[in-house]
Coordinates of all heavy atoms in Angstrom, one line a residue:
M1 N 53.7 10.6 18.2 CA 52.7 9.6 17.7 C 51.5 9.5 18.8 O 50.5 9.1 18.4 CB 53.5 8.4 17.5 CG 52.9 7.4 16.4 SD 52.6 8.2 14.9 CE 52.4 6.8 13.8
S2 N 52.0 9.7 20.0 CA 51.0 9.5 21.1 C 49.8 10.4 21.0 O 48.7 10.1 21.3 CB 51.7 9.6 22.4 OG 50.8 9.5 23.5
D3 N 50.2 11.7 20.6 CA 49.1 12.7 20.5 C 48.1 12.4 19.6 O 46.9 12.6 19.7 CB 49.7 14.1 20.2 CG 50.5 14.7 21.3 OD1 50.2 14.3 22.5 OD2 51.4 15.5 21.2
G4 N 48.5 11.8 18.3 CA 47.7 11.3 17.2 C 46.8 10.3 17.7 O 45.6 10.3 17.4
A5 N 47.3 9.3 18.4 CA 46.6 8.2 18.8 C 45.4 8.7 20.0 O 44.3 8.2 19.9 CB 47.5 7.1 19.5
D6 N 45.8 9.6 20.9 CA 44.9 10.0 21.8 C 43.8 10.8 21.2 O 42.7 10.6 21.6 CB 45.7 10.9 22.9 CG 46.6 10.2 23.7 OD1 46.4 8.9 23.8 OD2 47.6 10.7 24.3
Y7 N 44.2 11.7 20.2 CA 43.1 12.4 19.6 C 42.2 11.5 18.7 O 40.9 11.8 18.8 CB 43.7 13.4 18.5 CG 42.7 14.3 17.8 CD1 42.1 15.3 18.6 CD2 42.4 14.1 16.5 CE1 41.2 16.0 17.9 CE2 41.6 14.9 15.8 CZ 40.8 15.8 16.6 OH 39.9 16.6 15.9
L8 N 42.7 10.5 18.1 CA 41.9 9.6 17.4 C 40.9 8.8 18.3 O 39.8 8.6 18.0 CB 42.8 8.6 16.6 CG 42.0 7.5 15.8 CD1 41.1 8.2 14.6 CD2 43.0 6.5 15.1
K9 N 41.5 8.4 19.5 CA 40.7 7.7 20.5 C 39.5 8.6 21.0 O 38.4 8.2 21.2 CB 41.5 7.3 21.7 CG 40.8 6.5 22.8 CD 41.8 6.0 23.8 CE 41.1 5.4 25.0 NZ 41.9 5.1 26.1
Y10 N 39.9 9.9 21.3 CA 38.9 10.9 21.7 C 37.8 11.2 20.7 O 36.6 11.0 21.0 CB 39.6 12.3 22.0 CG 38.6 13.4 22.2 CD1 37.9 13.5 23.4 CD2 38.4 14.3 21.3 CE1 37.1 14.5 23.7 CE2 37.5 15.4 21.5 CZ 36.9 15.4 22.8 OH 35.9 16.6 22.8
V11 N 38.2 11.2 19.4 CA 37.2 11.5 18.4 C 36.4 10.3 18.2 O 35.1 10.3 18.1 CB 37.9 11.9 17.0 CG1 36.9 11.8 15.9 CG2 38.5 13.3 17.2
T12 N 36.9 9.2 18.4 CA 36.1 7.8 18.2 C 35.2 7.6 19.2 O 34.0 7.3 19.0 CB 37.1 6.6 18.0 OG1 38.1 6.8 17.1 CG2 36.3 5.3 17.9
E13 N 35.6 8.0 20.5 CA 34.6 7.9 21.6 C 33.5 8.9 21.4 O 32.3 8.5 21.7 CB 35.4 8.3 23.0 CG 36.3 7.0 23.4 CD 37.1 7.4 24.6 OE1 37.0 8.6 25.0 OE2 37.9 6.6 25.1
R14 N 33.8 10.1 20.9 CA 32.6 11.1 20.8 C 31.7 10.6 19.7 O 30.5 10.7 19.9 CB 33.3 12.4 20.4 CG 34.1 13.1 21.4 CD 33.2 13.6 22.6 NE 32.2 14.5 22.1 CZ 32.0 15.7 22.5 NH1 32.7 16.2 23.6 NH2 31.0 16.4 22.0
V15 N 32.2 10.1 18.6 CA 31.3 9.7 17.5 C 30.5 8.5 17.9 O 29.3 8.5 17.7 CB 32.2 9.3 16.3 CG1 31.4 8.5 15.2 CG2 32.8 10.5 15.7
V16 N 31.0 7.5 18.6 CA 30.4 6.4 19.2 C 29.3 6.8 20.2 O 28.1 6.3 20.1 CB 31.3 5.2 19.8 CG1 30.5 4.2 20.4 CG2 32.2 4.7 18.7
S17 N 29.6 7.7 21.0 CA 28.6 8.1 22.0 C 27.5 8.9 21.3 O 26.3 8.7 21.7 CB 29.2 8.9 23.1 OG 29.7 10.2 22.5
Y18 N 27.7 9.6 20.3 CA 26.7 10.3 19.5 C 25.8 9.4 18.9 O 24.6 9.5 18.8 CB 27.4 11.2 18.5 CG 26.4 12.0 17.6 CD1 25.7 13.1 18.1 CD2 26.2 11.6 16.3 CE1 24.8 13.7 17.3 CE2 25.3 12.3 15.5 CZ 24.6 13.3 16.0 OH 23.7 14.0 15.1
W19 N 26.4 8.3 18.3 CA 25.5 7.4 17.5 C 24.7 6.5 18.5 O 23.5 6.1 18.2 CB 26.4 6.4 16.8 CG 26.8 7.0 15.4 CD1 26.5 8.0 14.7 CD2 28.0 6.5 14.7 NE1 27.1 8.2 13.7 CE2 28.1 7.3 13.6 CE3 29.0 5.5 14.9 CZ2 29.1 7.1 12.6 CZ3 29.9 5.4 14.0 CH2 30.0 6.1 12.8
E20 N 25.2 6.3 19.6 CA 24.5 5.5 20.6 C 23.5 6.2 21.5 O 22.5 5.5 21.9 CB 25.5 4.7 21.5 CG 26.3 3.6 20.8 CD 27.3 3.0 21.8 OE1 27.5 3.4 22.8 OE2 27.9 1.9 21.3
T21 N 23.5 7.4 21.6 CA 22.5 8.1 22.4 C 21.1 8.3 21.6 O 21.3 8.8 20.4 CB 23.0 9.5 22.7 OG1 23.3 10.2 21.7 CG2 24.1 9.4 23.8
P22 N 20.0 7.8 22.0 CA 18.9 7.9 21.3 C 18.3 9.4 21.3 O 18.4 10.0 22.2 CB 17.9 7.0 22.0 CG 18.4 6.9 23.4 CD 19.9 7.1 23.3
K23 N 17.7 9.7 20.1 CA 17.2 11.0 20.1 C 15.8 11.0 20.7 O 15.0 10.1 20.5 CB 17.1 11.4 18.5 CG 18.5 11.5 17.9 CD 18.4 12.3 16.7 CE 19.7 12.5 16.1 NZ 20.0 13.5 15.3
T24 N 15.4 12.0 21.4 CA 14.2 12.1 22.0 C 13.2 12.4 21.0 O 13.4 13.1 19.9 CB 14.2 13.1 23.1 OG1 14.6 14.4 22.5 CG2 15.2 12.8 24.2
P25 N 11.9 11.9 21.1 CA 10.8 12.3 20.1 C 10.6 13.8 20.0 O 10.2 14.2 19.0 CB 9.7 11.5 20.6 CG 10.2 10.5 21.7 CD 11.5 11.1 22.1
E26 N 10.8 14.5 21.1 CA 10.6 16.0 21.1 C 11.5 16.6 20.1 O 11.1 17.4 19.3 CB 10.8 16.6 22.4 CG 9.8 16.2 23.4 CD 10.2 14.9 24.2 OE1 11.4 14.5 24.2 OE2 9.3 14.2 24.7
I27 N 12.8 16.2 20.0 CA 13.8 16.8 19.1 C 13.4 16.5 17.6 O 13.4 17.3 16.8 CB 15.2 16.2 19.4 CG1 15.7 16.8 20.7 CG2 16.1 16.6 18.3 CD1 16.9 16.2 21.2
R28 N 12.9 15.3 17.4 CA 12.5 14.9 16.0 C 11.2 15.7 15.6 O 11.1 16.1 14.5 CB 12.2 13.3 16.0 CG 13.4 12.6 16.0 CD 13.2 11.1 15.9 NE 14.4 10.4 16.0 CZ 14.5 9.1 16.0 NH1 13.4 8.4 15.9 NH2 15.5 8.4 16.0
R29 N 10.3 15.8 16.5 CA 9.0 16.5 16.3 C 9.3 18.0 16.0 O 8.8 18.6 15.0 CB 8.1 16.4 17.4 CG 6.6 16.9 17.2 CD 5.7 16.5 18.1 NE 5.9 15.2 18.7 CZ 6.2 15.0 20.1 NH1 6.4 16.0 21.0 NH2 6.3 13.9 20.6
E30 N 10.3 18.6 16.7 CA 10.6 20.0 16.6 C 11.2 20.1 15.2 O 11.0 21.2 14.5 CB 11.5 20.5 17.6 CG 10.8 20.7 18.9 CD 11.9 21.1 20.0 OE1 13.0 21.4 19.7 OE2 11.5 21.1 21.2
R31 N 12.1 19.2 14.8 CA 12.9 19.2 13.5 C 11.8 19.3 12.4 O 11.9 19.9 11.3 CB 13.9 18.2 13.5 CG 14.9 18.5 12.3 CD 15.9 17.5 12.2 NE 16.7 17.6 13.3 CZ 17.5 16.7 13.9 NH1 17.5 15.5 13.4 NH2 18.3 16.9 15.0
R32 N 10.9 18.4 12.5 CA 9.8 18.1 11.4 C 9.0 19.4 11.3 O 8.6 19.7 10.2 CB 9.0 17.0 11.7 CG 9.5 15.8 11.2 CD 8.5 14.6 11.2 NE 9.2 13.3 11.1 CZ 9.0 12.4 12.0 NH1 8.1 12.5 12.9 NH2 9.7 11.2 11.9
Q33 N 8.6 19.9 12.5 CA 7.8 21.1 12.4 C 8.5 22.4 11.8 O 7.8 23.2 11.1 CB 7.3 21.5 13.8 CG 6.2 20.6 14.4 CD 5.9 20.8 15.8 OE1 6.4 21.6 16.4 NE2 4.9 20.1 16.2
K34 N 9.7 22.6 12.0 CA 10.5 23.5 11.4 C 10.7 23.5 9.9 O 10.7 24.5 9.3 CB 11.9 23.7 12.1 CG 11.9 24.1 13.5 CD 13.3 24.1 14.1 CE 13.3 24.5 15.5 NZ 14.6 24.4 16.0
R35 N 10.7 22.4 9.5 CA 11.0 22.2 7.9 C 9.7 22.4 7.1 O 8.6 22.1 7.7 CB 11.3 20.6 7.6 CG 12.8 20.5 7.8 CD 13.3 19.4 7.0 NE 12.5 18.1 7.3 CZ 13.0 16.9 7.0 NH1 14.0 16.8 6.4 NH2 12.3 15.9 7.3
E36 N 9.9 23.1 6.0 CA 8.6 23.2 5.2 C 8.4 21.9 4.5 O 9.3 21.1 4.3 CB 8.9 24.4 4.3 CG 10.1 24.3 3.4 CD 10.5 25.5 2.6 OE1 9.5 26.3 2.2 OE2 11.6 25.8 2.4
P37 N 7.3 21.8 3.7 CA 6.9 20.6 3.0 C 7.9 20.3 1.9 O 8.5 21.2 1.4 CB 5.6 20.8 2.5 CG 5.0 21.8 3.3 CD 6.1 22.7 3.9
W38 N 8.2 19.0 1.6 CA 9.2 18.7 0.6 C 8.9 19.3 -0.8 O 9.7 19.7 -1.6 CB 9.4 17.2 0.5 CG 8.3 16.4 -0.1 CD1 7.2 15.9 0.7 CD2 8.0 16.1 -1.5 NE1 6.5 15.3 -0.3 CE2 6.8 15.4 -1.5 CE3 8.8 16.4 -2.6 CZ2 6.3 14.9 -2.7 CZ3 8.3 16.0 -3.8 CH2 7.1 15.3 -3.9
V39 N 7.6 19.4 -1.1 CA 7.2 20.0 -2.4 C 7.7 21.4 -2.5 O 8.1 21.9 -3.5 CB 5.7 19.9 -2.6 CG1 5.3 20.5 -3.9 CG2 5.3 18.5 -2.6
S40 N 7.5 22.1 -1.5 CA 8.0 23.6 -1.4 C 9.4 23.6 -1.5 O 9.9 24.5 -2.1 CB 7.3 24.2 -0.2 OG 6.0 24.3 -0.2
R41 N 10.1 22.8 -0.8 CA 11.5 22.8 -0.7 C 12.1 22.6 -2.1 O 13.1 23.2 -2.5 CB 12.1 21.9 0.2 CG 12.1 22.3 1.7 CD 12.8 21.5 2.6 NE 12.1 20.2 2.8 CZ 12.5 19.0 3.0 NH1 13.7 18.8 2.8 NH2 11.7 18.0 3.2
W42 N 11.5 21.6 -2.8 CA 12.0 21.2 -4.1 C 11.6 22.2 -5.3 O 12.3 22.4 -6.2 CB 11.6 19.8 -4.4 CG 12.5 18.8 -3.9 CD1 12.6 18.7 -2.4 CD2 13.1 17.7 -4.4 NE1 13.5 17.6 -2.2 CE2 13.7 17.0 -3.4 CE3 13.2 17.3 -5.7 CZ2 14.5 15.8 -3.6 CZ3 13.9 16.2 -6.0 CH2 14.6 15.5 -4.9
F43 N 10.3 22.6 -5.3 CA 9.7 23.3 -6.4 C 9.3 24.7 -6.1 O 8.8 25.4 -7.0 CB 8.6 22.5 -6.9 CG 9.0 21.2 -7.3 CD1 8.4 20.1 -6.5 CD2 9.7 20.9 -8.3 CE1 8.8 18.7 -7.0 CE2 10.1 19.6 -8.7 CZ 9.6 18.6 -8.1
G44 N 9.4 25.2 -4.9 CA 8.8 26.6 -4.5 C 7.4 26.6 -4.3 O 6.9 25.5 -4.0
Q45 N 6.8 27.7 -4.4 CA 5.3 27.8 -4.2 C 4.6 27.7 -5.4 O 3.4 27.2 -5.3 CB 5.1 29.2 -3.5 CG 5.7 29.4 -2.2 CD 5.1 28.4 -1.0 OE1 3.8 28.0 -1.2 NE2 5.9 27.8 0.0
L46 N 5.0 28.2 -6.5 CA 4.1 28.3 -7.7 C 3.8 27.0 -8.3 O 2.7 26.6 -8.6 CB 4.9 29.1 -8.8 CG 4.0 29.6 -9.9 CD1 2.9 30.4 -9.4 CD2 4.8 30.4 -10.9
L47 N 4.7 26.1 -8.4 CA 4.4 24.8 -9.1 C 3.5 23.8 -8.2 O 2.5 23.4 -8.9 CB 5.7 24.0 -9.2 CG 5.6 22.8 -10.0 CD1 5.2 23.0 -11.4 CD2 7.0 22.0 -10.2
P48 N 3.5 23.8 -6.9 CA 2.7 23.1 -6.2 C 1.2 23.5 -6.3 O 0.2 22.9 -6.5 CB 2.9 23.0 -4.8 CG 4.5 23.3 -4.8 CD 4.6 24.2 -6.1
V49 N 1.0 24.9 -6.3 CA -0.3 25.5 -6.5 C -0.8 25.3 -7.9 O -2.0 24.9 -8.0 CB -0.2 27.0 -6.2 CG1 -1.5 27.8 -6.5 CG2 0.1 27.2 -4.7
G50 N 0.0 25.4 -8.9 CA -0.4 25.1 -10.2 C -1.0 23.7 -10.4 O -1.9 23.5 -11.0
L51 N 0.0 22.8 -9.9 CA -0.5 21.4 -9.9 C -1.7 21.0 -9.2 O -2.5 20.3 -9.8 CB 0.7 20.5 -9.5 CG 1.9 20.4 -10.3 CD1 3.0 19.6 -9.5 CD2 1.5 19.8 -11.6
G52 N -1.9 21.7 -8.1 CA -3.3 21.5 -7.4 C -4.4 22.0 -8.2 O -5.4 21.3 -8.2
I53 N -4.3 23.2 -8.7 CA -5.4 23.7 -9.6 C -5.7 22.8 -10.8 O -6.8 22.4 -11.1 CB -5.0 25.1 -10.0 CG1 -5.1 26.0 -8.9 CG2 -6.1 25.6 -11.1 CD1 -4.6 27.5 -9.1
W54 N -4.6 22.4 -11.4 CA -4.7 21.5 -12.6 C -5.3 20.2 -12.1 O -6.3 19.6 -13.0 CB -3.4 21.2 -13.2 CG -3.4 20.1 -14.3 CD1 -3.9 20.3 -15.5 CD2 -3.0 18.8 -14.1 NE1 -3.8 19.0 -16.2 CE2 -3.2 18.1 -15.3 CE3 -2.5 18.1 -13.0 CZ2 -2.9 16.7 -15.5 CZ3 -2.2 16.7 -13.2 CH2 -2.3 16.2 -14.3
W55 N -4.9 19.7 -11.0 CA -5.5 18.4 -10.6 C -7.0 18.4 -10.2 O -7.8 17.6 -10.6 CB -4.7 17.8 -9.3 CG -5.1 16.5 -9.0 CD1 -5.9 16.0 -8.0 CD2 -4.6 15.2 -9.7 NE1 -6.0 14.7 -8.0 CE2 -5.3 14.1 -8.9 CE3 -3.8 15.0 -10.7 CZ2 -5.1 12.8 -9.3 CZ3 -3.7 13.6 -11.0 CH2 -4.2 12.6 -10.3
N56 N -7.4 19.5 -9.6 CA -8.8 19.6 -9.2 C -9.7 19.8 -10.5 O -10.8 19.4 -10.5 CB -9.0 20.8 -8.2 CG -8.5 20.4 -6.9 OD1 -8.2 19.4 -6.5 ND2 -8.1 21.5 -6.0
G57 N -9.1 20.6 -11.4 CA -9.8 20.9 -12.6 C -10.0 19.5 -13.5 O -11.1 19.3 -14.1
R58 N -9.0 18.7 -13.4 CA -9.0 17.5 -14.2 C -10.0 16.5 -13.5 O -10.7 15.9 -14.3 CB -7.6 16.8 -14.0 CG -7.4 15.6 -14.8 CD -6.0 15.1 -14.5 NE -6.1 13.6 -14.4 CZ -6.4 13.0 -13.4 NH1 -6.8 13.6 -12.4 NH2 -6.4 11.7 -13.4
K59 N -10.1 16.4 -12.2 CA -11.1 15.6 -11.6 C -12.5 16.2 -11.9 O -13.4 15.4 -12.1 CB -10.9 15.6 -10.0 CG -9.7 14.8 -9.7 CD -9.7 14.4 -8.2 CE -9.6 15.6 -7.3 NZ -9.4 15.1 -5.9
A60 N -12.7 17.4 -11.8 CA -14.0 17.9 -12.2 C -14.4 17.7 -13.6 O -15.5 17.3 -14.0 CB -14.1 19.5 -11.9
A61 N -13.6 17.8 -14.5 CA -13.8 17.5 -16.0 C -14.2 16.0 -16.2 O -15.0 15.7 -17.1 CB -12.6 17.9 -16.8
H62 N -13.4 15.2 -15.5 CA -13.7 13.7 -15.6 C -15.0 13.3 -15.0 O -15.6 12.3 -15.3 CB -12.5 12.9 -15.1 CG -11.4 12.8 -16.0 ND1 -11.4 12.5 -17.3 CD2 -10.2 13.4 -15.8 CE1 -10.2 12.6 -17.8 NE2 -9.4 13.1 -16.9
S63 N -15.5 14.0 -14.0 CA -16.8 13.7 -13.3 C -17.9 13.9 -14.2 O -18.9 13.3 -14.1 CB -16.8 14.3 -12.0 OG -17.1 15.7 -12.1
G64 N -17.8 14.9 -15.2 CA -18.8 15.1 -16.1 C -20.0 15.9 -15.5 O -21.0 16.1 -16.2
S65 N -19.9 16.4 -14.3 CA -21.0 17.0 -13.7 C -21.1 18.4 -14.3 O -22.2 18.9 -14.5 CB -20.8 17.2 -12.1 OG -19.6 17.9 -11.9
E66 N -20.1 19.1 -14.5 CA -20.1 20.3 -15.2 C -20.7 20.3 -16.5 O -21.5 21.2 -16.9 CB -18.8 21.0 -15.2 CG -18.2 21.5 -13.8 CD -16.7 22.0 -14.0 OE1 -16.5 22.7 -15.0 OE2 -16.0 21.9 -13.1
M67 N -20.3 19.4 -17.4 CA -20.8 19.2 -18.7 C -22.2 18.8 -18.6 O -23.1 19.3 -19.5 CB -20.0 18.2 -19.4 CG -18.6 18.6 -19.7 SD -18.4 20.1 -20.6 CE -18.9 19.6 -22.2
Q68 N -22.6 18.0 -17.7 CA -24.1 17.5 -17.7 C -24.9 18.8 -17.3 O -26.0 19.0 -17.7 CB -24.2 16.5 -16.6 CG -25.6 15.8 -16.7 CD -25.6 14.7 -15.8 OE1 -24.8 14.5 -14.8 NE2 -26.6 13.7 -16.0
D69 N -24.4 19.7 -16.4 CA -25.2 20.9 -16.0 C -25.3 21.8 -17.1 O -26.4 22.4 -17.3 CB -24.5 21.6 -14.8 CG -24.4 20.9 -13.4 OD1 -25.4 20.0 -13.4 OD2 -23.7 21.1 -12.6
M70 N -24.4 22.0 -17.8 CA -24.4 23.0 -19.1 C -25.4 22.3 -20.2 O -26.1 23.1 -20.7 CB -23.0 23.0 -19.8 CG -22.0 23.8 -18.8 SD -22.5 25.6 -18.7 CE -22.3 26.2 -20.3
H71 N -25.4 21.0 -20.4 CA -26.3 20.4 -21.2 C -27.7 20.6 -20.7 O -28.6 21.0 -21.6 CB -26.0 18.9 -21.3 CG -26.9 18.2 -22.3 ND1 -26.8 18.4 -23.7 CD2 -27.8 17.3 -22.1 CE1 -27.7 17.6 -24.3 NE2 -28.3 16.9 -23.4
N72 N -28.0 20.5 -19.4 CA -29.3 20.7 -19.0 C -29.8 22.1 -19.1 O -31.0 22.5 -19.5 CB -29.4 20.2 -17.5 CG -29.3 18.7 -17.3 OD1 -29.6 18.0 -18.2 ND2 -28.9 18.4 -16.0
L73 N -28.9 23.1 -19.0 CA -29.2 24.5 -19.2 C -29.5 24.8 -20.6 O -30.6 25.6 -20.9 CB -28.0 25.3 -18.7 CG -27.8 25.5 -17.2 CD1 -26.6 26.3 -17.0 CD2 -29.0 26.2 -16.6
T74 N -28.9 24.2 -21.4 CA -29.3 24.5 -23.0 C -30.5 23.8 -23.4 O -31.2 24.2 -24.3 CB -28.1 24.0 -23.8 OG1 -27.7 22.7 -23.7 CG2 -26.8 24.9 -23.6
E75 N -30.9 22.7 -22.8 CA -32.1 21.9 -23.1 C -33.3 22.7 -22.7 O -34.2 22.8 -23.4 CB -32.1 20.6 -22.5 CG -31.6 19.4 -23.3 CD -31.6 18.1 -22.6 OE1 -32.4 18.1 -21.6 OE2 -31.1 17.2 -23.1
H76 N -33.2 23.3 -21.5 CA -34.4 24.0 -21.0 C -34.5 25.4 -21.2 O -35.2 26.1 -20.6 CB -34.3 23.6 -19.4 CG -34.5 22.1 -19.2 ND1 -35.6 21.4 -19.5 CD2 -33.7 21.3 -18.6 CE1 -35.4 20.1 -19.1 NE2 -34.2 20.0 -18.6
A77 N -33.6 26.0 -22.0 CA -33.5 27.4 -22.2 C -34.7 27.8 -23.1 O -35.0 27.1 -24.1 CB -32.2 27.8 -22.8
D78 N -35.2 28.8 -22.8 CA -36.3 29.4 -23.6 C -35.8 30.5 -24.5 O -35.5 31.7 -24.0 CB -37.4 29.9 -22.7 CG -38.6 30.3 -23.6 OD1 -38.8 29.9 -24.6 OD2 -39.5 31.1 -22.9
Y79 N -35.8 30.3 -25.7 CA -35.1 31.3 -26.7 C -36.1 32.0 -27.5 O -36.0 32.4 -28.6 CB -34.2 30.6 -27.7 CG -32.9 30.0 -27.0 CD1 -32.8 28.7 -26.9 CD2 -32.0 30.8 -26.5 CE1 -31.7 28.1 -26.3 CE2 -30.9 30.3 -25.9 CZ -30.7 28.9 -25.8 OH -29.6 28.4 -25.2
S80 N -37.3 32.4 -26.8 CA -38.3 32.9 -27.6 C -38.4 34.4 -27.7 O -37.6 35.1 -27.1 CB -39.8 32.6 -27.1 OG -39.8 32.1 -25.8

């Protein structure tokens, strides 16, 4: 029974010392730099790129600048 109690005490001390030691900012920074962005981790490369293209096209369509440019071109065109 003594061996089990000693082992439990050892493991408990190790866990407590691990929890109580603060992590240095360098370790956290290195870990963040190694990880790829969460969007890529969850969805791969194709979906984020597709969503970005869709989003930029949506913003351009709502701004009306492209439609206004096309309208101006057809108004001033010389079809003679």
Side-chain angles (χ1 to χ4, degrees):
M1 210 54 169
S2 177
D3 289 335
D6 290 338
Y7 181 71
L8 182 64
K9 182 179 177 183
Y10 170 75
V11 170
T12 306
E13 288 174 357
R14 294 289 303 231
V15 169
V16 169
S17 68
Y18 176 77
W19 281 340
E20 289 180 347
T21 54
K23 294 194 179 207
T24 60
E26 294 86 22
I27 293 173
R28 289 183 180 171
R29 193 175 316 120
E30 287 175 10
R31 189 174 297 154
R32 275 195 200 126
Q33 288 175 350
K34 288 180 185 177
R35 274 202 307 195
E36 56 187 334
W38 69 270
V39 176
S40 297
R41 276 188 285 143
W42 280 53
F43 304 112
Q45 294 293 326
L46 188 59
L47 187 64
V49 170
L51 286 175
I53 291 170
W54 171 76
W55 188 260
N56 289 338
R58 190 183 135 285
K59 287 197 299 188
H62 284 300
S63 69
S65 62
E66 291 179 30
M67 294 301 286
Q68 193 172 20
D69 291 341
M70 291 298 288
H71 181 67
N72 289 340
L73 285 176
T74 58
E75 267 186 11
H76 301 293
D78 186 18
Y79 294 111
S80 24

